[in-house]
Amino acid sequence: MSTAPASLFDKIRIVLVNTSHPGNIGGAARAMKNMGLSRLYLVAPKEYPADKAVWRAASAVDVLDGAVVVETLDEAIAECGLVVGTSARERRIPWPLLTPRECGERCWAELEQHEVAIVFGREDRGLTNEELHKCNYHVHIPANPAYSSLNLAAAVQVLAYEMRMAFLTAEKGAAPHFDDWDMPPAKQQALEMYYQHLQQTLEELGFLEADNPRQTMTRLRRLYNRTRLDEMELSILRGVLTATQNYIFHSKK
Ligand code: SAH
């Protein structure tokens, strides 16, 4: 049987946000182990630990045992260089979109460089727009338009399967290459700090109203996200913001 170097599969994390039914957590753990994945992150699960999760996990209890429970999505994706959010339906502001196959290929092409997260939403409401806007790409499983919402663990299964298919292709040496770049891409936590710094500066400039920054910040996030900023570029942009804030501070004196 084919196994990837443990370290590469270990760089993929499956993140479940605010899951209601522990059975789905167990089902997701099983789906992951079947496809060679092991790193499960649970963001504020409603009911966990739970017997139902253990029961549904069957022989993947080790994945549950290793699951990391955190309070916020930010904590779950902080060190990731690539974050993909899943969505059962189209959203108002479209985001760069991947098919499940492209998602597997993209992840596998970037795994050497950094950690990758695939984020799944709540059974009843999916991911919030705010959560989706923290992702580099969105992925939609092209299901029956008359009923496109899969069970959570089933959705994990589909994307984990595509991850495995991409691994098997990569193993044959036929994987698409991630362009060589002189700097690593900015990580999620650094990007989040940049967006906060940007919003704060734009408010100080009087360009953004503090009480209604929403759509503009979303569009700015999308703009920066399209370029996949690297660490050096991000640090230059932070410097520009700091210089702008200093200028505002001195001109007000
Ligand atoms: N009623 C919710 C559906 C949530 S289904 C909504 O309208 O958003 C629970 C989770 O399973 C979703 O958040 C997503 O992570 C995953 N999922 C279900 N169907 C999917 C699909 N067709 N494509 C991608 N992810 C899907």
Side-chain angles (χ1 to χ4, degrees), residues 86-89 91 119-127 139-143 148-152 155 159:
T86 57
S87 180
R89 59 200 155 93
R91 305 291 173 135
V119 185
F120 294 82
R122 301 154 186 82
E123 290 93 333
D124 54 345
R125 295 182 292 124
L127 292 166
V139 60
H140 171 70
I141 300 163
S148 66
S149 170
L150 279 75
N151 163 266
L152 173 59
L159 290 170

Side-chain angles (χ1 to χ4, degrees), residues 4-5 8-10 12 37 82 102-113 116 162-164 166-171 175-176 178:
L8 281 190
F9 270 122
D10 286 351
I12 306 169
L37 302 179
L82 173 68
E102 289 166 342
C103 174
E105 289 166 358
R106 172 113 310 266
C107 292
W108 213 263
E110 298 196 19
L111 275 176
E112 295 259 7
Q113 260 105 346
V116 163
E162 288 296 348
M163 204 71 80
R164 184 149 197 92
F167 154 65
L168 293 174
T169 308
E171 207 186 23
F178 186 62

Side-chain angles (χ1 to χ4, degrees), residues 31-43:
M32 288 168 63
K33 187 167 179 182
N34 285 146
M35 297 299 130
L37 302 179
S38 61
R39 294 188 59 208
L40 179 60
Y41 280 69
L42 304 173
V43 178

